[in-house]
Amino acid sequence: MPGTLRHRLHEAFVRWALRVRPPEPAPIILTQRRVYVLPTRAGLAYAAALGVILLGAMNYNLSLGHALVFLLAGLGIVAILHTFRNIALVSIRPGRCEPVFAGSSAQFDLVLENQRPDARTSLRLFLDDQAPIEVDIGPHTSTTAALHVPATKRGWLPLSRLTIETTWPLGLVRAWSYAVPDMNCLIYPAPAAKAPPLPWHGESAGGSTRDGNGADDFSGLRKHQEADSPHHVAWKAVARQHDGPLLTKLFSGASAQQLWLEWNDLPAALDTEQRLSILARWMIDAEAAGFAWGLRMPALRLAPDNGPTQLGAGLRALALHGSQ
Amino acid sequence: MARSNRPVSRRQAWWLLATALAAFLPLTPQLPLWLSLAAGAAFSWRAALTWWQWRLPPRWLLVLLVVAGTAGVLMQYRTILGRTPGIALLVVFLGLKLLELRTARDAVATALLCYFLVLGQFLFTQTIPTALLAAMTVLITTATLLAASDDRPSPRQQIRRAGLMLGQALPFMLLLFLLFPRVQGPLWGIPQDRFSAVSGVSDTMAPGSIAQLSQSDAIAFRVQFKGEVPPQSQLYWRGPVMPAFDGRSWRVAQTRGAYSEIPYPGIGQPVDYEVTLEPHGKFWLFSLELPASLPPESGLTSDYQPVARQAVRNRMRYAQRAWPEAIAGANETPGILRDALALPKGGNPRTRAISEGWRAQHGNDGAAILAAAEDLFNRQLLIYTLNPPLLGADMVDEFLFDTKRGFCEHFAAAFVFALRAAGVPARVVAGYQGGEVNPVDGFLVVRQYDAHAWTEVWIAGRGWMRVDPTAISAPSRINSNLAAAVPSGEPLPFLARGDLAWLKELRNRLDAVTNGWNQWVLGYNPQRQRDLLASLGMTEPDWRSMTAVLSVLCGAVMLGLTGWILRNRMRVDPALAAWRRFTARLARHGVAWRPWEGPQAFAERAAVQIPAQAQTIREIAELYARLRYGPTPQLPDLAQLKMKIAAFKP
C-alpha cells in the first residue's frame, strides 16, 4: 500500500536524519547538517509563476521582464537562506514536566535557546499529528514552549519525536528538523471516581489509647459546630468540595489513630489498575482531610506522613507499580 | 500545512490592498475606463470590508462577477488572448481575488498576481521611470508576502526587511541578467497590436508624408562612430530607395535581397559606426552611403539598400562600415535603368517641355543634363517650408513654376521627374539627413524630424550619384539643420528649435541616460551577451559553458551570502578553544577528557598518568578554570594559557 510505504520511507528518513540514536542528550543543537529545506506549496506556486513570467519576457523580448524574473529568483534563493538561518543552531533543552493524572494532558516544557543577536521568528513545534505551537525567540534569549500530550496510561510517558519547522520570512520554503529530547513525564493512575470509604482500622499504633480531643495531632474531621474554634476549620478540605458543610479538624494526642492504605485490603476481585486507582483516590482524600497516612504495597512500604512530599511519593509508587 | 489555512488578518488585508493598487495603477492608461472604474470599485469594497469588518461577499456573487468581467473584456477586445486583453483579465481577477481573501493561501495568490502585473507594465513601456515604478511595486509586494507569513512587524519594518532581501537578491539578478542564456523571441508570435503606433519613413512617399514626420522629435536611431563624426553634409542615412512612380507617389521596388554581399569595390577611407535602431516595424536598415558591410541576418537589395530578414520589431543594434567614395552601379543592369526612367504617360507638360529642351541640347550627356537641372532649381528660387500649399494633378509643374514652396519630397520628386523626362535615369531615396551629437555621451541622435528625401542620378561611366535638390535651394537644411532652413515663424518640433539652450542641455543629459539604458539594459540581447562573454575571454560561448559559468558564479554569491547570513554562528570562547587543543593532545597520550569532568579533576587524573608533566598540567587547568569560571577573566591569563598550551608537549 502506498500510504504505508510512504510512511515507512518517511520513518527511515527521520531515523537517518536524527543522526543520534534517540532519545538525544541535551542540549540538542539543530546544526546545519540536520536542518532540511524544501519549498512549500506557496514556493512551488512562486516558482511556477516565475517560469511563466520568464516565458513572457522571452516571447516579447522584454529586458526588464528578464530582470524581474531574475530579481524574484534571487529573492527565492535569499528566502531559502533566511528560512534556514531562522532555525539553524537553535538549541533545545528539556524543561519542567510536572506529573499529572492519567486521563488529563501532560505538559512538556522545552527550553529553546537562541545564541544569535537576532530574533528567531515563528518557529513551529509539533508532535506527530498534533496542532503546532508557535514561538519566537528573542536575541540572545531562550523561550519555553509547552507541548501538551494526552496522558492515557500511568507510568513514564516519554516525549515522542518532535518536529520543529519554520517558513518565515516569505513562506516560500520550509526548513525543519527533528528532535527527540530525553524527557519523560510521570503519569499517576487516574483516581477512581467511586472508591470505598477511607479504610479506618481499629488498631492504634504503639498501643496507646485514644484520649479524646487533644490539640497535638490531627485525627479527623467532623461537621462544624457553632462552638468550634474557627482556627480548626479545615479550609483546605472545604475548598475541595463544592457547597459542602464546614468541617472541623479533630486533633488527638501523640498516639492518634493512623490511616494505613493497604494494597491487600482491597477486594480480591479487583485488578491491578483498579486497585491503584482506588489507592490514588484514598491518598488524595486522606491528604485533603489532613490525615497522616501510610501505604503498604506488595513491594513497598511508605511510613505514615502528610503533605505534598508524602502524596508525591505515594502517587509515584502507584504510577510505577510493576514497572521495576 | 497548518499555516496556509490561517485566516487573513486585517493588517494583511491592508497590505494586499496596497500591493494590488501599486500593481494596478500604472496599468490604468492602457485599460478601458470601465475596467479601471470596476477595479476601483472592487478596491474600495475591499477597503470597506477591512475597515468595518464586514462579511465577505458570497461565492455565487463572485462567480457572477468573474463571468461578467470576462464577458466585458471579451466584448471590449473581441478576444481574451494577447497582450492588453490578457492584462485586463488579470486585473479583473485581481480585483475579485481581493474580495475573497480568506486564508493565507489567497494572500500568496494575490501577491503572485501582482508580480505578474509588473511584467504587464513592461509590455507597454520599459523606460527608466517604469523600471523605478516596477521596483516600488516589487518592494511592496515582497513586503506583503512577508506580512502574509508574519503580520506583527510595523509597515516600516516590513518594507525594510523586504528591501534587505531584495538587496541581497540583486547580485543574483545581475549575474543571471548577464549570463543566463538568452533566447531571441518571439517563442509563439507577437500579437499585431505591438507596433500599431510607430512612426518612421514608410515605403511610399507622397507629398506631405515626410513633412508630417518633421513634426515629431521621436528618436529614429542613434549612431556611435568609431572615429570622428563626419561633417553634417555627409550624413545621408540611406533608407528605402523608391524608383516606382505612379504620377503622385513614389514606391520601393519589389525586389528584395538581390545581393548577399557587397557588389561594388571599396574606395577611399572607410567610416565605421554602430547604429541602434528603434523598432519601426519595417524591413530596412539605415546606413551611410555606401554600405560596405551587411549586418547579420540581412541582405542588399538591387538598389543597394540593406534590408533585414525580419521586420525590425525590437530595438536593434548593428555595426557597419561605409565607403563614402564608393562607386556603385557603373555597369547597371538594363532592367533597373528602365525602371529609373519610367514615367506616367501624361501630366506636367511644362516640366516635360523643359526636359525635352535639355535632351535636344545635350543629347545623351547625362552630366550636362544634370547640370542643367541643377541650374533650373537654382534659378527658380524655390522656398523650403514645412507648410507647402496643396498641389493639384500636375504637381511638379505647380511646384516648380507656380507655388515654388515645398518640402524635401517636393524637391526630390520634381527633380527626378525632370531628369527622367530628359532621359536620365534617376530615383528618389528616403531616409534621414543629419542628426545631432549628444555632447554627454557622444552618440549622434537622429530624430524623426531629420527625415529627408533626396535623389540618385545615374550617369554613364560614373554610376549612381547622390544629388540633393533641397541642398540647391536651401543649403542650410543640409549644412546645419531643419530650424535653420525653414523661414522663421513656422511651427517646429520643440527640440528642433535652437533658442532654448538650457532645455536642450537638460534633454541631452536625459537622452544620454536613456541611451545608456537602451544600450545596456533593454538592448541586452543574445548578440550583446555573446559580445560580452567574448570580451571576457569566452570565445565560443554556448549555453552549456554559459550555464556552467553561471552556476559557478551563483554558487559563489550564494556561499558569500550564506557566510554573511550565518556569520556569528557560534563564537567559540578562545579559552575553550585552547583547552580543547590541550585535551586533544592529552587524548592522544591516552588521557581522554570526559565531558562531565571538571578541569581540575581532569588535571589530577592526567597528572597521575603523566607524572613528568604534572606541574604544567595543573597550571594549565588552574588558568583555564580561572578564565572560564573566575569572577573577571583577565586577558593576560588568556595569553599565558595559550602560550603554555602551545608549549605543552606530553
Side-chain angles (χ1 to χ4, degrees):
Chain A
M1 284 197 294
T4 51
L5 177 67
R6 206 182 140 190
H7 182 73
R8 265 169 37 208
L9 282 176
H10 182 244
E11 286 304 311
F13 169 73
V14 171
R15 266 201 306 284
W16 169 79
L18 277 170
R19 307 206 185 269
V20 183
R21 195 171 285 276
E24 308 170 69
I28 301 168
I29 297 172
L30 304 181
T31 52
Q32 280 99 324
R33 293 188 53 199
R34 50 188 285 175
V35 172
Y36 308 95
V37 181
L38 275 182
T40 60
R41 205 174 291 183
L44 292 177
Y46 182 81
L50 292 201
V52 178
I53 296 180
L54 179 63
L55 279 180
M58 278 179 175
N59 190 51
Y60 289 91
N61 285 320
L62 300 174
S63 265
L64 286 187
H66 280 96
L68 173 73
V69 155
F70 298 149
L71 180 68
L72 293 181
L75 184 68
I77 296 174
V78 170
I80 296 173
L81 295 176
H82 278 260
T83 309
F84 182 77
R85 168 184 160 79
N86 195 31
I87 198 171
L89 298 177
V90 165
S91 83
I92 304 175
R93 276 185 290 116
R96 279 191 333 161
C97 182
E98 295 290 318
V100 293
F101 291 102
S104 58
S105 107
Q107 179 180 328
F108 292 88
D109 281 355
L110 288 171
V111 181
L112 304 173
E113 198 180 340
N114 174 17
Q115 296 180 340
R116 260 206 291 265
D118 325 83
R120 296 171 185 274
T121 313
S122 299
L123 300 179
R124 281 194 300 282
L125 284 82
F126 59 91
L127 303 167
D128 262 350
D129 54 73
Q130 289 198 17
I133 54 164
E134 200 168 302
V135 292
D136 295 342
I137 323 176
H140 283 308
T141 50
S142 56
T143 299
T144 304
L147 290 168
H148 294 270
V149 181
T152 48
K153 265 172 56 190
R154 69 175 177 91
W156 287 112
L157 172 67
L159 180 59
S160 58
R161 185 182 69 231
L162 170 80
T163 307
I164 170 165
E165 66 167 31
T166 185
T167 58
W168 186 89
L170 286 180
L172 301 180
V173 280
R174 166 177 179 257
W176 79 99
S177 185
Y178 302 106
V180 189
D182 187 5
M183 213 178 166
N184 293 286
C185 188
L186 187 59
I187 311 297
Y188 298 147
K194 287 200 180 102
L198 286 177
W200 289 105
H201 291 257
E203 73 173 273
S204 37
S208 58
T209 52
R210 191 173 169 178
D211 62 356
N213 302 338
D216 303 353
D217 264 354
F218 177 74
S219 67
L221 293 173
R222 67 168 160 74
K223 221 172 164 194
H224 186 71
Q225 290 160 6
E226 294 287 323
D228 288 343
S229 154
H231 292 292
H232 289 171
V233 171
W235 296 112
K236 237 189 192 171
V238 171
R240 295 207 180 192
Q241 26 187 256
H242 302 286
D243 300 329
L246 281 184
L247 297 173
T248 299
K249 291 183 203 167
L250 297 178
F251 294 91
S252 56
S255 54
Q257 215 176 7
Q258 289 185 331
L259 178 58
W260 279 100
L261 309 178
E262 301 248 12
W263 174 270
N264 290 327
D265 282 359
L266 290 164
L270 297 177
D271 69 12
T272 310
E273 295 307 317
Q274 284 170 323
R275 279 165 199 265
L276 292 170
S277 129
I278 290 170
L279 285 171
R281 165 60 58 198
W282 280 351
M283 281 177 194
I284 292 163
D285 289 350
E287 189 63 31
F291 298 129
W293 53 273
L295 174 69
R296 280 202 204 104
M297 301 269 291
L300 182 135
R301 186 172 173 282
L302 207 60
D305 199 352
N306 177 275
T309 321
Q310 172 77 351
L311 183 64
L315 289 172
R316 181 185 174 91
L318 298 184
L320 297 178
H321 173 77
S323 63
Q324 265 100 30
Chain B
M1 221 131 288
R3 173 55 71 99
S4 55
N5 298 326
R6 182 179 285 192
V8 169
S9 71
R10 252 180 118 179
R11 217 167 182 179
Q12 287 166 340
W14 285 125
W15 270 112
L16 286 163
L17 184 60
T19 191
L21 270 177
F24 158 75
L25 282 181
L27 287 170
T28 43
Q30 322 296 341
L31 296 174
L33 185 64
W34 66 267
L35 183 54
S36 296
L37 291 178
F43 292 163
S44 314
W45 192 353
R46 174 73 248 174
L49 286 176
T50 315
W51 184 264
W52 286 292
Q53 295 186 290
W54 289 345
R55 294 245 318 262
L56 292 182
R59 197 146 275 180
W60 62 263
L61 181 59
L62 289 176
V63 170
L64 211 66
L65 288 175
V66 166
V67 171
T70 313
V73 171
L74 203 56
M75 277 170 52
Q76 176 86 33
Y77 299 102
R78 312 249 166 256
T79 172
I80 50 170
L81 300 173
R83 177 181 62 157
T84 326
I87 284 169
L89 213 55
L90 283 182
V91 169
V92 170
F93 291 156
L94 178 67
L96 294 176
K97 191 78 204 165
L98 280 182
L99 294 178
E100 64 144 13
L101 294 180
R102 288 168 209 277
T103 61
R105 192 177 301 172
D106 297 318
V108 171
T110 312
L112 292 185
L113 209 50
C114 291
Y115 283 136
F116 248 102
L117 286 177
V118 175
L119 181 75
Q121 296 176 29
F122 299 152
L123 282 170
F124 300 103
T125 63
Q126 294 196 81
T127 59
I128 297 175
T130 312
L132 293 177
L133 206 62
M136 279 268 301
T137 310
V138 168
L139 182 70
I140 295 177
T141 309
T142 307
T144 304
L145 259 189
L146 282 170
S149 84
D150 179 15
D151 65 352
R152 291 165 297 177
S154 70
R156 232 182 101 113
Q157 288 169 308
Q158 301 280 33
I159 289 281
R160 259 190 49 194
R161 179 167 294 280
L164 172 81
M165 292 187 72
L166 287 171
Q168 289 169 341
L170 270 181
F172 291 102
M173 183 187 95
L174 286 176
L175 276 178
L176 286 164
F177 190 84
L178 290 177
L179 296 176
F180 186 85
R182 287 298 183 93
V183 176
Q184 181 75 45
L187 302 176
W188 65 83
I190 291 179
Q192 288 308 309
D193 55 357
R194 178 92 199 268
F195 296 100
S196 49
V198 259
S199 66
V201 173
S202 80
D203 53 0
T204 59
M205 187 187 82
S209 60
I210 291 182
Q212 202 183 358
L213 282 179
S214 305
Q215 299 297 334
S216 162
D217 55 16
I219 289 172
F221 52 90
R222 294 179 171 87
V223 188
Q224 189 177 29
F225 286 97
K226 289 268 151 50
E228 223 172 286
V229 180
Q232 195 81 12
S233 56
Q234 295 290 315
L235 294 176
Y236 279 86
W237 301 101
R238 203 158 179 267
V241 180
M242 302 174 178
F245 180 54
D246 63 1
R248 183 155 188 90
S249 56
W250 298 82
R251 282 180 196 287
V252 295
Q254 294 304 315
T255 52
R256 285 205 186 288
Y259 302 107
S260 56
E261 44 196 75
I262 303 299
Y264 38 82
I267 300 173
Q269 193 66 29
V271 178
D272 286 305
Y273 58 94
E274 196 178 47
V275 176
T276 307
L277 182 59
E278 297 294 316
H280 54 63
K282 305 290 192 324
F283 289 88
W284 47 79
L285 308 173
F286 295 94
S287 59
L288 272 186
E289 294 186 316
L290 281 164
S293 67
L294 285 174
E297 293 294 294
S298 67
L300 201 65
T301 62
S302 52
D303 34 28
Y304 318 125
Q305 162 65 23
V307 288
R309 292 262 148 73
Q310 295 196 328
V312 181
R313 296 224 161 101
N314 296 293
R315 188 175 291 107
M316 182 182 176
R317 189 186 297 100
Y318 52 89
Q320 241 191 357
R321 160 172 289 199
W323 286 316
E325 295 160 47
I327 290 174
N331 304 308
E332 194 57 277
T333 58
I336 288 181
L337 291 181
R338 202 162 48 240
D339 284 349
L341 282 169
L343 278 184
K345 286 241 149 50
N348 299 308
R350 284 181 277 178
T351 311
R352 281 178 198 263
I354 290 185
S355 295
E356 271 149 29
W358 297 336
R359 175 94 185 154
Q361 191 181 347
H362 303 293
N364 280 334
D365 188 352
I369 295 177
L370 176 60
E374 286 174 340
D375 184 51
L376 171 73
F377 269 61
N378 212 355
R379 267 186 295 115
Q380 287 305 96
L381 298 175
L382 303 169
I383 294 169
Y384 180 81
T385 172
L386 285 177
N387 292 318
L390 284 176
L391 299 173
D394 292 330
M395 291 188 314
V396 177
D397 279 2
E398 285 175 43
F399 166 64
L400 278 179
F401 307 108
D402 303 335
T403 66
K404 298 194 178 182
R405 299 166 68 84
F407 197 58
C408 56
E409 60 250 53
H410 299 92
F411 285 83
F415 197 74
V416 170
F417 186 95
L419 284 178
R420 285 188 180 187
V424 177
R427 60 197 181 191
V428 169
V429 181
Y432 297 87
Q433 203 283 321
E436 192 176 6
V437 175
N438 185 337
V440 181
D441 58 6
F443 276 70
L444 180 88
V445 182
V446 180
R447 297 175 189 272
Q448 293 299 352
Y449 60 65
D450 293 317
H452 190 53
W454 60 93
T455 68
E456 271 179 350
V457 183
W458 189 83
I459 308 290
R462 169 66 184 74
W464 290 100
M465 280 176 68
R466 181 180 70 224
V467 180
D468 188 349
T470 312
I472 299 169
S473 305
S476 54
R477 164 69 184 85
I478 311 308
N479 295 322
S480 54
N481 58 27
L482 183 69
V486 298
S488 63
E490 281 201 15
L492 272 177
F494 201 60
L495 287 176
R497 294 168 57 164
D499 48 353
L500 292 166
W502 61 271
L503 198 71
K504 210 158 186 142
E505 166 74 15
L506 185 72
R507 180 67 186 224
N508 277 339
R509 281 182 190 285
L510 273 179
D511 189 59
V513 172
T514 308
N515 184 30
W517 176 258
N518 289 345
Q519 300 284 332
W520 288 104
V521 180
L522 304 187
Y524 193 79
N525 55 14
Q527 180 58 44
R528 194 89 177 183
Q529 187 173 45
R530 273 194 294 277
D531 294 350
L532 179 85
L533 290 175
S535 73
L536 293 179
M538 284 176 69
T539 41
E540 291 268 320
D542 60 350
W543 64 269
R544 259 181 242 111
S545 52
M546 276 161 75
T547 312
V549 170
L550 183 64
S551 314
V552 167
L553 288 177
C554 276
V557 173
M558 192 145 165
L559 268 181
L561 262 183
T562 311
W564 181 74
I565 278 179
L566 297 178
R567 71 196 186 282
N568 57 39
R569 22 183 278 191
M570 291 196 120
R571 264 304 147 65
V572 176
D573 182 349
L576 181 61
W579 176 255
R580 280 188 186 149
R581 281 200 296 279
F582 174 66
T583 52
R585 212 163 288 167
L586 278 174
R588 281 199 292 276
H589 286 79
V591 197
W593 178 61
R594 299 169 187 146
W596 61 86
E597 245 176 345
Q600 264 134 353
F602 171 63
E604 282 312 313
R605 202 158 57 83
V608 172
Q609 297 232 6
I610 313 173
Q613 296 280 349
Q615 184 57 28
T616 326
I617 293 175
R618 286 201 185 98
E619 277 171 18
I620 288 174
E622 163 75 27
L623 265 173
Y624 172 65
R626 207 187 310 152
L627 276 165
R628 286 282 284 176
Y629 309 109
T632 46
Q634 304 285 318
L635 270 180
D637 285 350
L638 179 62
Q640 214 185 341
L641 176 75
K642 281 184 176 168
M643 219 172 64
K644 275 195 193 260
I645 289 177
F648 177 73
K649 298 228 163 45

